[in-house]
Each structure stands twice: as C-alpha cells, then as structure tokens.
Amino acid sequence: MTSQETKATTDSTIIIDTGCANLSSVRYAFERIGADVEVSDDIAKIKAATRVVLPGVGTAKAAMQALKDKALIDTICGLTQPVLGVCLGMQMLTRASQERGGLSYGNSSKNCECLGLIDTNIEQLDSKGLPLPHMGWNQISPSGHPLFAGVAERSYVYFVHSYRAPLGDFTIAKSEYGEGFSAAIAKDNFMGVQFHPEKSAGVGATILKNFMKMTSDSFAKENAL
C-alpha cells in the first residue's frame, strides 16, 4: 500500500454528536461537497480524527451540559487537529457566554462557562434596535485565514443568533448588524464561524472545502514560519 493510499484510509472527519438539532444538516452539507464524515461521540474516534467539527444550536448552558454529560470537555480541549465550531459551536470555544445559563464564570453568576480555548467572551449582540435574533443573509469581510481562501469581500452567509463574539485579536471574519461583530474567530487549530455554512450556499461550501483541506500538519507548518 502506498503512502497516499494509507493516508486515504486513515483520513477521517468527525462531527461531534452533541445531540443538537443541526447535526443532520451539518452532516449533509459536508456530504454535498463529497466529504466522508461521521457523527460520533466516541472519544477514541474523536481523538484519532484528522479533523473535528463541533456543531451547536440552542443555549450555551444546554450545549455545555451535553458535553459534560458525554465526558467530552477534556477531549475537545486536548485536540491538536483542526477543529471547526459552527454557530453555537463557535461560541463554546470561548471563555464564557453571557446567555442566562445559570453556570458561574468569574464573579458573574449569569455567565455560562465555556471551553476557554479562544480568549474572548460571548455577549448579547447590540443590534441598535434591529430585530433579534439576527436572522438571514448578511455580508462578511473575511481575513486572509485559510478557512476563507477564495471567499470574496462582502460575500453573503446565513446567520441565526442573538449573541456574538466582539471584534478583537481572534477575529478572522467580521460582519455588522447594528454593531460590528466577529463572524468567525480562530486561535491555532481551533476555528469557529458564527454563521451557518450549511445554509450559506456556495460560499458555505467553499468554507467547508477549505476546512477539509486542513490537517494537523497545516498548523505545524504555519507555526514553524
């Protein structure tokens, strides 16, 4: 067996089974671009995967509780391969969420403790009087991050959210709805998009294809530069 054949047989993409409602739509989006993906909460499979997707819809409290119930928090925090958080999955990568989860974080009993992998917090979107949730198509301004290779400035993607990560050092794409906010964030091998790539037509497909090209080696080479 050649090295290319060996790589083909060991390359795997796991969508973490968080029990959330958008699992099937995320899986179908990857399958539409020809990706071989599996939905699983098996810790061994997640650790061995070439890349991992963390989906989520609903509240931060419920999503974090699901991860705790499945004993997945330490596993996710220890991953060194590319990890993509989608929608609430992105928010779970941060330190804490302002959603009224009832879990303590710092001195605030109102903030829900998250995974702490990206050094920012999730707060309610200041829509400046526009309706919440922010729902529908909106434009993004992507950075040069490889997740957005081939995605043009002011491309449209589909959002459904009332909370957001602020603009900051970890922003890799921004959007605006009342205020400017992070449409995507990243730190090292952990990336997250606030929008739904699975509902974002060709732009979403391009982003997922870019993610499917990533491996642990991608980040090792980047860090070596």
Side-chain angles (χ1 to χ4, degrees):
M1 182 178 290
T2 68
S3 60
Q4 285 187 334
E5 289 172 333
T6 301
K7 182 178 180 181
T9 59
T10 57
D11 187 283
S12 65
T13 301
I14 296 294
I15 300 172
I16 296 178
D17 184 359
T18 58
C20 65
N22 67 337
L23 279 170
S24 294
S25 61
V26 172
R27 186 183 81 231
Y28 294 151
F30 278 100
E31 290 175 347
R32 283 197 299 271
I33 64 170
D36 183 13
V37 296
E38 179 182 355
V39 176
S40 178
D41 58 8
D42 184 284
I43 289 175
K45 287 185 177 182
I46 294 169
K47 287 182 175 180
T50 307
R51 60 196 70 81
V52 174
V53 181
L54 178 63
V57 293
T59 67
K61 177 186 177 182
M64 287 302 300
Q65 189 60 53
L67 295 183
K68 289 180 180 179
D69 291 345
K70 292 172 178 278
L72 289 173
I73 290 179
D74 288 345
T75 296
I76 295 170
C77 290
L79 295 177
T80 57
Q81 61 267 64
V83 178
L84 178 64
V86 176
C87 193
L88 181 61
M90 181 206 87
Q91 297 185 3
M92 286 192 286
L93 297 176
T94 70
R95 289 193 308 250
S97 173
Q98 198 183 61
E99 275 189 293
R100 299 301 182 254
L103 298 179
S104 63
Y105 177 79
N107 295 323
S108 174
S109 62
K110 295 182 179 180
N111 290 344
C112 174
E113 185 176 356
C114 296
L115 294 169
L117 293 163
I118 300 179
D119 191 17
T120 189
N121 291 329
I122 302 300
E123 301 167 340
Q124 187 165 25
L125 178 65
D126 183 2
S127 65
K128 311 293 186 185
L130 294 172
L132 287 176
H134 170 214
M135 182 166 61
W137 295 91
N138 203 349
Q139 293 174 311
I140 58 171
S141 296
S143 71
H145 193 280
L147 189 65
F148 290 97
V151 176
E153 176 77 13
R154 301 185 71 78
S155 291
Y156 279 91
V157 294
Y158 194 88
F159 290 91
V160 183
H161 65 116
S162 297
Y163 291 80
R164 56 86 178 121
L167 297 174
D169 293 342
F170 302 103
T171 301
I172 59 170
K174 59 185 180 179
S175 188
E176 185 171 334
Y177 186 74
E179 66 170 337
F181 65 91
S182 291
I185 57 177
K187 182 182 180 184
D188 301 326
N189 58 306
F190 294 97
M191 300 156 277
V193 294
Q194 180 60 72
F195 53 89
H196 288 267
E198 76 276 15
K199 297 180 180 179
S200 297
V203 173
T206 295
I207 292 167
L208 296 183
K209 288 176 182 177
N210 289 338
F211 178 68
M212 289 300 299
K213 295 174 184 176
M214 297 179 184
T215 66
S216 297
D217 288 344
S218 306
F219 296 96
K221 291 175 183 176
E222 183 176 319
N223 292 333
L225 296 177

